[in-house]
Amino acid sequence: MVIAAGADYYKVLGVGRSANEKEIKKQYKVLSKKYHPDKNPGNKEAADKFVEVAAAYEVLSDKEKRGIYDRYGEEGLKQQQQQGQGGFHDPFDIFSQFFGGGSRHAHAEQERRGPEIRMELEVTLEELYSGKSIEIEVSKQIVCPHCSGSGARSSEDVVTCSGCQGQGVKIVKHMLAPGMFQQFRQTCDQCGGKGKTIRAHCPVCHGTKVQRGSEQLTIVIEPGLADGSTIVFDGEGDEGPEVAAGDVVFEVRTRPHPTFERRQDALYTYVTITLEQALLGFDLEIKHLDGRAVKLTRGQDVTPFGFVQTLKGQGMPIKGSRGDYGDMFVEYKVAFPEKLSKDQRRFLELAFDVRAPFDETLGGTPVHQQQVLHDEM
Protein backbone atom coordinates (compact mmCIF):
# COMPACT_ATOMS: atom_id res chain seq x y z
CA MET A 1 0.00 0.00 0.00
CA VAL A 2 1.45 3.37 -1.05
CA ILE A 3 1.10 6.25 1.43
CA ALA A 4 1.84 9.89 0.66
CA ALA A 5 5.18 10.91 2.15
CA GLY A 6 5.09 13.17 5.19
CA ALA A 7 1.37 12.64 5.88
CA ASP A 8 0.10 14.11 9.15
CA TYR A 9 -2.12 11.27 10.34
CA TYR A 10 -3.84 13.43 12.95
CA LYS A 11 -4.69 15.97 10.24
CA VAL A 12 -5.83 13.20 7.86
CA LEU A 13 -8.42 12.04 10.38
CA GLY A 14 -9.20 15.54 11.59
CA VAL A 15 -8.42 14.84 15.27
CA GLY A 16 -6.12 16.42 17.83
CA ARG A 17 -2.95 14.76 19.09
CA SER A 18 -4.67 14.01 22.40
CA ALA A 19 -7.61 12.24 20.71
CA ASN A 20 -8.70 9.02 22.40
CA GLU A 21 -9.51 5.70 20.73
CA LYS A 22 -13.23 6.45 20.53
CA GLU A 23 -12.69 9.79 18.75
CA ILE A 24 -10.24 8.22 16.28
CA LYS A 25 -12.65 5.37 15.53
CA LYS A 26 -15.56 7.78 15.02
CA GLN A 27 -13.65 9.93 12.55
CA TYR A 28 -12.43 6.91 10.61
CA LYS A 29 -16.02 5.71 10.17
CA VAL A 30 -17.15 9.06 8.81
CA LEU A 31 -14.24 9.55 6.40
CA SER A 32 -13.98 5.96 5.14
CA LYS A 33 -17.64 6.02 4.11
CA LYS A 34 -17.19 9.42 2.46
CA TYR A 35 -14.19 8.37 0.34
CA HIS A 36 -15.02 4.71 -0.32
CA PRO A 37 -14.38 3.85 -4.01
CA ASP A 38 -17.89 2.40 -4.39
CA LYS A 39 -19.32 5.84 -3.60
CA ASN A 40 -16.78 7.58 -5.83
CA PRO A 41 -16.40 5.39 -8.96
CA GLY A 42 -13.54 6.51 -11.18
CA ASN A 43 -12.40 9.19 -8.72
CA LYS A 44 -8.68 8.55 -8.15
CA GLU A 45 -8.39 11.38 -5.61
CA ALA A 46 -11.12 9.83 -3.44
CA ALA A 47 -9.53 6.37 -3.77
CA ASP A 48 -6.16 7.73 -2.61
CA LYS A 49 -7.86 9.50 0.28
CA PHE A 50 -9.58 6.25 1.28
CA VAL A 51 -6.18 4.52 1.48
CA GLU A 52 -4.67 7.43 3.41
CA VAL A 53 -7.54 7.47 5.94
CA ALA A 54 -7.12 3.71 6.53
CA ALA A 55 -3.38 4.12 7.10
CA ALA A 56 -3.94 6.97 9.54
CA TYR A 57 -6.47 4.94 11.50
CA GLU A 58 -4.23 1.86 11.57
CA VAL A 59 -1.36 3.88 13.07
CA LEU A 60 -3.33 5.99 15.55
CA SER A 61 -5.50 3.13 16.80
CA ASP A 62 -2.46 0.97 17.63
CA LYS A 63 -0.73 2.06 20.87
CA GLU A 64 2.71 0.85 19.80
CA LYS A 65 2.56 2.34 16.28
CA ARG A 66 1.11 5.59 17.59
CA GLY A 67 3.91 5.86 20.16
CA ILE A 68 6.57 5.38 17.49
CA TYR A 69 4.84 7.86 15.18
CA ASP A 70 4.55 10.49 17.93
CA ARG A 71 8.24 10.16 18.81
CA TYR A 72 9.91 9.56 15.44
CA GLY A 73 7.28 10.37 12.81
CA GLU A 74 6.81 8.38 9.61
CA GLU A 75 10.52 7.57 9.42
CA GLY A 76 10.23 5.56 12.63
CA LEU A 77 7.32 3.57 11.19
CA LYS A 78 9.27 2.87 8.00
CA GLN A 79 12.20 1.52 10.01
CA GLN A 80 9.83 -0.72 11.94
CA GLN A 81 8.46 -2.08 8.65
CA GLN A 82 11.96 -2.67 7.29
CA GLN A 83 12.72 -4.73 10.39
CA GLY A 84 9.76 -6.96 9.54
CA GLN A 85 7.59 -5.76 12.40
CA GLY A 86 4.44 -5.31 10.36
CA GLY A 87 3.41 -3.04 7.51
CA PHE A 88 0.05 -1.63 6.57
CA HIS A 89 -2.99 -3.85 6.06
CA ASP A 90 -5.40 -3.82 3.13
CA PRO A 91 -7.63 -0.72 3.60
CA PHE A 92 -10.68 -2.77 2.59
CA ASP A 93 -9.93 -5.21 5.42
CA ILE A 94 -10.01 -2.33 7.88
CA PHE A 95 -13.24 -0.98 6.36
CA SER A 96 -14.92 -4.40 6.59
CA GLN A 97 -14.18 -4.57 10.31
CA PHE A 98 -16.43 -1.54 10.82
CA PHE A 99 -19.12 -2.07 8.22
CA GLY A 100 -19.52 -5.83 8.21
CA GLY A 101 -17.74 -8.83 6.76
CA GLY A 102 -15.00 -9.13 9.36
CA SER A 103 -11.29 -9.05 8.77
CA ARG A 104 -9.68 -11.35 6.25
CA HIS A 105 -6.80 -11.76 8.66
CA ALA A 106 -7.31 -14.63 11.09
CA HIS A 107 -7.18 -13.86 14.80
CA ALA A 108 -4.00 -14.96 16.49
CA GLU A 109 -4.57 -18.35 18.08
CA GLN A 110 -3.02 -17.31 21.39
CA GLU A 111 -5.12 -14.15 21.67
CA ARG A 112 -7.80 -14.27 24.35
CA ARG A 113 -11.03 -12.74 23.13
CA GLY A 114 -14.20 -11.60 24.81
CA PRO A 115 -17.58 -13.23 24.15
CA GLU A 116 -19.25 -12.87 20.77
CA ILE A 117 -22.47 -10.87 20.46
CA ARG A 118 -24.91 -12.48 18.00
CA MET A 119 -28.12 -10.83 16.80
CA GLU A 120 -30.72 -11.42 14.12
CA LEU A 121 -31.18 -8.64 11.58
CA GLU A 122 -34.61 -8.53 9.95
CA VAL A 123 -34.60 -7.01 6.47
CA THR A 124 -37.16 -6.70 3.70
CA LEU A 125 -36.90 -8.33 0.30
CA GLU A 126 -36.81 -4.81 -1.18
CA GLU A 127 -33.68 -4.03 0.88
CA LEU A 128 -31.99 -7.23 -0.28
CA TYR A 129 -32.87 -6.37 -3.89
CA SER A 130 -31.69 -2.75 -3.96
CA GLY A 131 -29.20 -2.73 -1.06
CA LYS A 132 -29.23 -0.43 1.96
CA SER A 133 -27.15 0.98 4.81
CA ILE A 134 -28.66 0.49 8.26
CA GLU A 135 -27.54 2.36 11.37
CA ILE A 136 -27.88 0.35 14.58
CA GLU A 137 -26.81 0.99 18.17
CA VAL A 138 -25.32 -1.98 19.99
CA SER A 139 -25.27 -2.13 23.79
CA LYS A 140 -22.10 -3.75 25.06
CA GLN A 141 -19.56 -3.96 27.86
CA ILE A 142 -16.69 -1.46 27.60
CA VAL A 143 -13.48 -0.93 29.54
CA CYS A 144 -14.00 1.79 32.13
CA PRO A 145 -12.72 5.02 30.52
CA HIS A 146 -11.95 6.58 33.91
CA CYS A 147 -9.47 3.97 35.14
CA SER A 148 -8.62 2.41 31.73
CA GLY A 149 -9.52 -1.02 33.10
CA SER A 150 -7.27 -0.99 36.15
CA GLY A 151 -10.16 -0.81 38.62
CA ALA A 152 -8.16 1.65 40.77
CA ARG A 153 -8.82 5.26 41.67
CA SER A 154 -5.39 6.21 40.30
CA SER A 155 -2.18 4.48 39.23
CA GLU A 156 -0.76 5.08 42.73
CA ASP A 157 -3.56 2.93 44.17
CA VAL A 158 -2.28 -0.18 42.36
CA VAL A 159 0.29 -1.68 44.77
CA THR A 160 2.40 -4.82 45.00
CA CYS A 161 0.57 -7.67 46.68
CA SER A 162 1.84 -8.19 50.23
CA GLY A 163 0.79 -11.83 50.25
CA CYS A 164 3.05 -12.97 47.40
CA GLN A 165 5.38 -9.95 47.07
CA GLY A 166 4.28 -9.47 43.48
CA GLN A 167 4.99 -13.04 42.36
CA GLY A 168 1.36 -14.02 41.90
CA VAL A 169 2.01 -17.39 43.63
CA LYS A 170 2.70 -18.58 47.15
CA ILE A 171 4.93 -21.42 48.36
CA VAL A 172 2.81 -23.69 50.57
CA LYS A 173 4.06 -26.51 52.77
CA HIS A 174 1.89 -29.50 53.55
CA MET A 175 2.92 -31.99 56.27
CA LEU A 176 2.67 -35.58 55.05
CA ALA A 177 4.00 -37.13 58.28
CA PRO A 178 5.94 -35.97 61.31
CA GLY A 179 9.07 -34.35 59.95
CA MET A 180 7.97 -34.88 56.30
CA PHE A 181 6.67 -31.93 54.27
CA GLN A 182 5.56 -31.48 50.69
CA GLN A 183 6.19 -28.06 49.15
CA PHE A 184 4.12 -26.76 46.22
CA ARG A 185 3.14 -23.51 44.56
CA GLN A 186 -0.41 -22.18 44.44
CA THR A 187 -2.03 -19.03 43.07
CA CYS A 188 -2.04 -16.21 45.57
CA ASP A 189 -5.48 -15.89 47.11
CA GLN A 190 -5.03 -12.18 47.87
CA CYS A 191 -4.35 -10.92 44.34
CA GLY A 192 -5.69 -13.82 42.26
CA GLY A 193 -2.29 -14.41 40.70
CA LYS A 194 -1.88 -10.87 39.38
CA GLY A 195 0.82 -9.77 41.81
CA LYS A 196 -0.97 -6.47 42.37
CA THR A 197 -3.79 -5.35 44.64
CA ILE A 198 -5.93 -2.23 44.60
CA ARG A 199 -5.79 0.08 47.56
CA ALA A 200 -8.69 2.35 46.51
CA HIS A 201 -11.25 1.44 43.86
CA CYS A 202 -12.24 3.52 40.85
CA PRO A 203 -15.20 5.81 41.74
CA VAL A 204 -16.85 5.18 38.34
CA CYS A 205 -16.74 1.38 37.92
CA HIS A 206 -16.21 0.64 41.66
CA GLY A 207 -13.38 -1.75 40.88
CA THR A 208 -15.21 -3.85 38.28
CA LYS A 209 -12.94 -2.41 35.53
CA VAL A 210 -15.85 -2.34 33.05
CA GLN A 211 -19.20 -0.64 32.53
CA ARG A 212 -22.07 -0.64 30.05
CA GLY A 213 -21.73 1.41 26.90
CA SER A 214 -22.96 1.49 23.32
CA GLU A 215 -21.53 1.65 19.83
CA GLN A 216 -23.13 2.96 16.63
CA LEU A 217 -22.58 0.51 13.76
CA THR A 218 -23.36 0.94 10.07
CA ILE A 219 -24.50 -2.30 8.44
CA VAL A 220 -24.15 -2.41 4.67
CA ILE A 221 -26.72 -4.69 3.01
CA GLU A 222 -25.31 -5.55 -0.40
CA PRO A 223 -27.77 -6.20 -3.27
CA GLY A 224 -28.37 -9.94 -3.59
CA LEU A 225 -27.22 -10.82 -0.06
CA ALA A 226 -28.59 -14.27 0.81
CA ASP A 227 -30.97 -14.99 3.65
CA GLY A 228 -29.02 -16.48 6.57
CA SER A 229 -25.80 -14.63 5.67
CA THR A 230 -23.70 -13.34 8.55
CA ILE A 231 -22.26 -9.84 8.75
CA VAL A 232 -19.31 -9.68 11.15
CA PHE A 233 -17.92 -6.61 12.90
CA ASP A 234 -14.47 -7.58 14.08
CA GLY A 235 -13.60 -6.47 17.62
CA GLU A 236 -16.81 -4.52 18.20
CA GLY A 237 -18.21 -6.87 20.89
CA ASP A 238 -17.84 -6.90 24.66
CA GLU A 239 -14.54 -5.45 25.88
CA GLY A 240 -12.50 -6.55 28.87
CA PRO A 241 -9.33 -5.23 30.54
CA GLU A 242 -7.35 -8.42 29.93
CA VAL A 243 -8.92 -9.75 26.74
CA ALA A 244 -9.39 -8.48 23.19
CA ALA A 245 -12.93 -7.42 22.32
CA GLY A 246 -15.12 -10.11 20.79
CA ASP A 247 -17.01 -9.78 17.51
CA VAL A 248 -20.53 -8.59 16.79
CA VAL A 249 -22.29 -10.94 14.37
CA PHE A 250 -25.56 -10.16 12.60
CA GLU A 251 -27.51 -13.00 10.97
CA VAL A 252 -29.72 -11.81 8.11
CA ARG A 253 -33.38 -12.88 8.22
CA THR A 254 -35.82 -11.94 5.44
CA ARG A 255 -39.33 -10.82 6.35
CA PRO A 256 -42.13 -12.61 4.45
CA HIS A 257 -43.20 -10.69 1.34
CA PRO A 258 -46.85 -10.35 0.22
CA THR A 259 -46.05 -10.80 -3.49
CA PHE A 260 -42.73 -12.52 -4.05
CA GLU A 261 -40.96 -15.59 -2.71
CA ARG A 262 -37.19 -15.77 -3.07
CA ARG A 263 -35.46 -19.02 -3.97
CA GLN A 264 -31.72 -18.37 -4.22
CA ASP A 265 -31.38 -15.84 -7.08
CA ALA A 266 -34.89 -16.42 -8.47
CA LEU A 267 -38.19 -14.75 -7.61
CA TYR A 268 -41.51 -16.63 -7.65
CA THR A 269 -44.98 -15.12 -7.65
CA TYR A 270 -48.60 -16.10 -8.34
CA VAL A 271 -51.02 -14.15 -10.53
CA THR A 272 -54.75 -14.85 -10.77
CA ILE A 273 -56.45 -14.27 -14.14
CA THR A 274 -60.04 -14.58 -15.32
CA LEU A 275 -61.35 -17.37 -17.53
CA GLU A 276 -61.67 -14.85 -20.36
CA GLN A 277 -58.00 -13.83 -19.98
CA ALA A 278 -56.94 -17.48 -19.83
CA LEU A 279 -58.72 -18.18 -23.14
CA LEU A 280 -58.17 -14.95 -25.08
CA GLY A 281 -54.85 -13.64 -23.73
CA PHE A 282 -54.02 -10.52 -21.73
CA ASP A 283 -51.63 -7.63 -21.02
CA LEU A 284 -51.04 -7.12 -17.28
CA GLU A 285 -48.49 -5.42 -15.01
CA ILE A 286 -47.08 -6.29 -11.59
CA LYS A 287 -44.97 -4.07 -9.34
CA HIS A 288 -41.33 -5.14 -8.92
CA LEU A 289 -39.31 -4.80 -5.69
CA ASP A 290 -37.78 -1.52 -6.84
CA GLY A 291 -41.19 -0.03 -7.74
CA ARG A 292 -41.02 -0.36 -11.53
CA ALA A 293 -43.73 -2.12 -13.54
CA VAL A 294 -43.09 -5.56 -15.03
CA LYS A 295 -45.27 -6.43 -18.06
CA LEU A 296 -46.99 -9.81 -18.28
CA THR A 297 -48.22 -10.60 -21.78
CA ARG A 298 -49.96 -13.64 -23.23
CA GLY A 299 -51.12 -13.49 -26.84
CA GLN A 300 -53.52 -15.90 -28.54
CA ASP A 301 -52.19 -18.94 -26.69
CA VAL A 302 -54.44 -20.36 -24.00
CA THR A 303 -53.03 -20.00 -20.47
CA PRO A 304 -53.88 -23.17 -18.53
CA PHE A 305 -54.22 -23.27 -14.74
CA GLY A 306 -50.73 -23.71 -13.22
CA PHE A 307 -48.88 -22.44 -16.28
CA VAL A 308 -45.47 -20.93 -15.33
CA GLN A 309 -44.07 -18.03 -17.34
CA THR A 310 -40.33 -17.30 -17.12
CA LEU A 311 -39.11 -13.71 -17.22
CA LYS A 312 -35.38 -13.67 -17.85
CA GLY A 313 -33.27 -11.30 -15.77
CA GLN A 314 -36.15 -10.16 -13.57
CA GLY A 315 -35.05 -12.03 -10.44
CA MET A 316 -32.67 -11.08 -7.61
CA PRO A 317 -29.24 -9.51 -8.19
CA ILE A 318 -26.51 -12.16 -8.23
CA LYS A 319 -24.09 -11.14 -5.47
CA GLY A 320 -20.51 -10.81 -6.65
CA SER A 321 -21.46 -10.60 -10.33
CA ARG A 322 -21.22 -7.60 -12.60
CA GLY A 323 -24.87 -6.63 -12.82
CA ASP A 324 -26.29 -10.10 -13.45
CA TYR A 325 -29.77 -11.06 -12.24
CA GLY A 326 -31.67 -14.29 -11.73
CA ASP A 327 -35.05 -15.03 -13.34
CA MET A 328 -38.64 -14.44 -12.26
CA PHE A 329 -41.20 -17.22 -12.46
CA VAL A 330 -44.92 -16.32 -12.64
CA GLU A 331 -47.43 -19.09 -12.01
CA TYR A 332 -50.98 -18.39 -13.19
CA LYS A 333 -54.16 -19.35 -11.43
CA VAL A 334 -57.45 -19.15 -13.30
CA ALA A 335 -60.52 -17.85 -11.45
CA PHE A 336 -63.58 -19.69 -12.79
CA PRO A 337 -67.00 -17.98 -12.53
CA GLU A 338 -69.38 -19.41 -9.93
CA LYS A 339 -72.17 -19.66 -12.52
CA LEU A 340 -72.95 -18.76 -16.15
CA SER A 341 -75.85 -16.74 -17.53
CA LYS A 342 -78.01 -18.33 -20.23
CA ASP A 343 -76.40 -16.22 -22.93
CA GLN A 344 -72.87 -17.11 -21.75
CA ARG A 345 -73.72 -20.78 -21.65
CA ARG A 346 -75.27 -20.72 -25.13
CA PHE A 347 -72.24 -18.83 -26.48
CA LEU A 348 -69.84 -21.44 -25.08
CA GLU A 349 -71.96 -24.27 -26.46
CA LEU A 350 -71.78 -22.67 -29.88
CA ALA A 351 -68.02 -21.98 -29.53
CA PHE A 352 -67.29 -25.61 -28.61
CA ASP A 353 -69.90 -27.03 -31.00
CA VAL A 354 -71.97 -28.48 -28.19
CA ARG A 355 -75.61 -29.10 -29.32
CA ALA A 356 -77.90 -26.98 -27.13
CA PRO A 357 -81.29 -28.30 -25.99
CA PHE A 358 -84.27 -27.18 -28.18
CA ASP A 359 -86.09 -24.13 -26.80
CA GLU A 360 -89.70 -24.12 -28.03
CA THR A 361 -90.18 -20.44 -27.13
CA LEU A 362 -87.67 -19.42 -29.82
CA GLY A 363 -89.32 -21.34 -32.60
CA GLY A 364 -87.60 -22.95 -35.57
CA THR A 365 -85.24 -25.95 -35.42
CA PRO A 366 -82.31 -26.48 -32.98
CA VAL A 367 -79.84 -25.78 -35.77
CA HIS A 368 -81.74 -22.61 -36.68
CA GLN A 369 -81.70 -21.49 -33.00
CA GLN A 370 -77.91 -21.91 -32.78
CA GLN A 371 -77.44 -19.88 -35.95
CA VAL A 372 -79.71 -17.11 -34.60
CA LEU A 373 -77.79 -16.99 -31.31
CA HIS A 374 -74.51 -16.86 -33.19
CA ASP A 375 -75.73 -13.99 -35.39
CA GLU A 376 -76.97 -12.08 -32.34
CA MET A 377 -73.55 -12.33 -30.70
Side-chain angles (χ1 to χ4, degrees), residues 118-129 221-231 250-257 261-267 316-317 319:
R118 295 190 72 92
M119 289 180 280
E120 282 195 358
L121 179 69
E122 269 202 355
V123 295
T124 64
L125 199 53
E126 286 85 353
E127 290 168 340
L128 291 173
Y129 183 84
I221 303 296
E222 297 181 30
L225 189 68
D227 184 71
S229 297
T230 56
I231 300 173
F250 291 96
E251 190 169 352
V252 175
R253 287 286 174 257
T254 310
R255 293 175 193 156
H257 196 273
E261 177 190 346
R262 180 184 184 181
R263 302 179 193 172
Q264 296 180 335
D265 297 321
L267 287 173
M316 293 293 292
K319 189 174 178 295

Side-chain angles (χ1 to χ4, degrees), residues 26 73 220 250 351 357:
K26 182 179 179 181
V220 178
F250 291 96

Side-chain angles (χ1 to χ4, degrees), residues 279-308:
L279 296 174
L280 302 178
F282 55 82
D283 286 301
L284 300 175
E285 287 184 352
I286 58 173
K287 188 177 179 181
H288 210 310
L289 294 169
D290 58 356
R292 60 190 167 84
V294 177
K295 291 186 177 182
L296 305 176
T297 301
R298 293 283 292 166
Q300 297 180 352
D301 294 333
V302 173
T303 303
F305 191 102
F307 174 78
V308 178

